[in-house]
Amino acid sequence: MRFRTFTLIALTILMMSCGGHGRPPIPGTVRPVAVPVGTNSTKHLAPKAEDSKKAINSELQSTDDVIEYLGYSVSYNKERKIPNWVSYELLASETDGPYSRKGKNFRQDPSLSLSQADDNDYRNSGWSRGHMAPAGDFKWNDQAMWDTFYYTNCCPQNQSLNAGQWNTLEQKVRGWAKRFGKVHVVTGPIIGKNIYGTIGYNRVVVPDAFFKAVLANDHAIAFVMHNHNNNENMQKCAMSVDDLEDLTGIDFFAEQVDDFENQVEATYNLRNWGL
């Protein structure tokens, strides 16, 4: 495992995608920008003009480190102790496998010198340990599934959301991978106004909401679900990737050709996704 501060030079080198088991993850799938705690997530944080995108991509705060695991990449924020986003490709052949989460528990990544959350932060906090890259997408390899149980891939999440609508969305993603052959997924927290504060000695930030962006062939869709148990139905949580970019300040699926990216991300059709 390796980690590094994500600079424009590294982004240029890493903007590629690969397929097959044991492949490297796809850090080129996103161009992120850190959003400060306390920012109102309903405002447009990143203007869509090309010069603004270049400014966003030119430099990231030193708190953002991209970590590459066997099956996914994570942009980890060592101040918040949660990911900014995780990114991975899921093939149809990877939607099932012999490996299970039985006996696996969250733990710190011992290979990193970064500050991380721990068990005590979550214990009796009222929040569940929410996977961003879900364990269920990595049944194809035991080590890949173990890697999803690092605290670098974890956010404080409402238990009813975690076990309910968010889990349903994760199952939908696996169904889409089977249907389309593969999907690219980027998911993570939205800090928003940070209305829930932090938990534990390590002051792990509790997000206001969570997002998921999915690209399959020439279709794309995004979702935002609030960090409570009273979300709208999945159709009402859906939006275009462009709208999610405005909300989060992240340029998703940036490795795509600009014209294709602009066309696919501008709209979404629920029928394409069986919703």
Side-chain angles (χ1 to χ4, degrees):
M1 302 169 202
R2 299 288 186 270
F3 75 93
R4 59 198 170 282
T5 300
F6 204 45
T7 63
L8 181 60
I9 296 175
L11 178 66
T12 303
I13 295 172
L14 290 168
M15 282 185 60
M16 60 186 72
S17 64
C18 305
H21 289 181
R23 68 198 183 286
I26 319 166
T29 307
V30 293
R31 294 189 182 111
V33 58
V35 181
V37 172
T39 300
N40 186 338
S41 64
T42 63
K43 294 182 178 179
H44 290 189
L45 301 175
K48 301 305 293 297
E50 288 304 312
D51 56 345
S52 296
K53 287 187 178 182
K54 290 177 181 178
I56 288 170
N57 297 330
S58 65
E59 185 177 6
L60 290 180
Q61 295 180 4
S62 61
T63 57
D64 303 313
D65 295 280
V66 170
I67 308 162
E68 296 180 6
Y69 293 112
L70 178 59
Y72 71 97
S73 294
V74 54
S75 170
Y76 177 68
N77 191 300
K78 60 194 175 189
E79 289 189 351
R80 298 176 187 160
K81 317 300 188 303
I82 59 174
N84 298 308
W85 49 261
V86 303
S87 172
Y88 62 97
E89 179 183 70
L90 181 64
L91 308 180
S93 60
E94 296 172 339
T95 56
D96 202 359
Y99 302 101
S100 77
R101 59 186 295 161
K102 185 177 180 179
K104 296 179 173 68
N105 296 297
F106 274 103
R107 67 212 190 282
Q108 292 186 338
D109 184 343
S111 72
L112 304 177
S113 59
L114 302 173
S115 178
Q116 302 172 55
D118 60 30
D119 291 346
N120 290 327
D121 292 319
Y122 282 82
R123 188 173 291 118
N124 299 321
S125 69
W127 298 93
S128 69
R129 297 165 174 84
H131 283 82
M132 293 296 95
D137 286 356
F138 298 86
K139 297 175 183 177
W140 50 272
N141 185 284
D142 195 49
Q143 182 59 55
M145 184 179 285
W146 265 114
D147 285 353
T148 69
F149 282 88
Y150 285 132
Y151 274 115
T152 51
N153 181 47
C154 182
C155 288
Q157 192 168 47
N158 178 278
Q159 176 58 40
S160 295
L161 173 65
N162 191 359
Q165 198 166 3
W166 189 253
N167 179 55
T168 300
L169 178 56
E170 291 172 342
Q171 294 179 39
K172 289 285 187 184
V173 169
R174 287 190 279 278
W176 294 331
K178 292 178 182 178
R179 175 183 172 186
F180 295 109
K182 66 178 179 180
V183 291
H184 293 254
V185 184
V186 188
T187 190
I190 297 174
I191 306 305
K193 295 181 179 179
N194 190 216
I195 59 178
Y196 302 113
T198 64
I199 59 172
Y201 176 81
N202 288 305
R203 300 185 63 80
V204 182
V205 171
V206 181
D208 285 3
F210 297 92
F211 70 83
K212 194 179 296 289
V214 184
L215 174 68
N217 299 330
D218 58 348
H219 305 302
I221 194 168
F223 300 85
V224 169
M225 294 184 180
H226 297 283
N227 201 5
H228 55 57
N229 61 355
N230 192 29
N231 283 277
E232 300 278 3
N233 60 43
M234 191 170 298
Q235 291 85 346
K236 291 186 178 180
C237 291
M239 64 180 64
S240 71
V241 172
D242 271 354
D243 286 342
L244 183 61
E245 288 180 344
D246 289 341
L247 187 65
T248 62
I250 299 173
D251 182 6
F252 297 95
F253 312 124
E255 80 284 1
Q256 302 295 329
V257 176
D258 284 345
D259 289 345
F260 174 82
E261 181 187 0
N262 293 337
Q263 178 181 357
V264 169
E265 294 182 358
T267 61
Y268 68 100
N269 187 330
L270 293 174
R271 292 182 180 178
N272 293 335
W273 305 92
L275 297 175

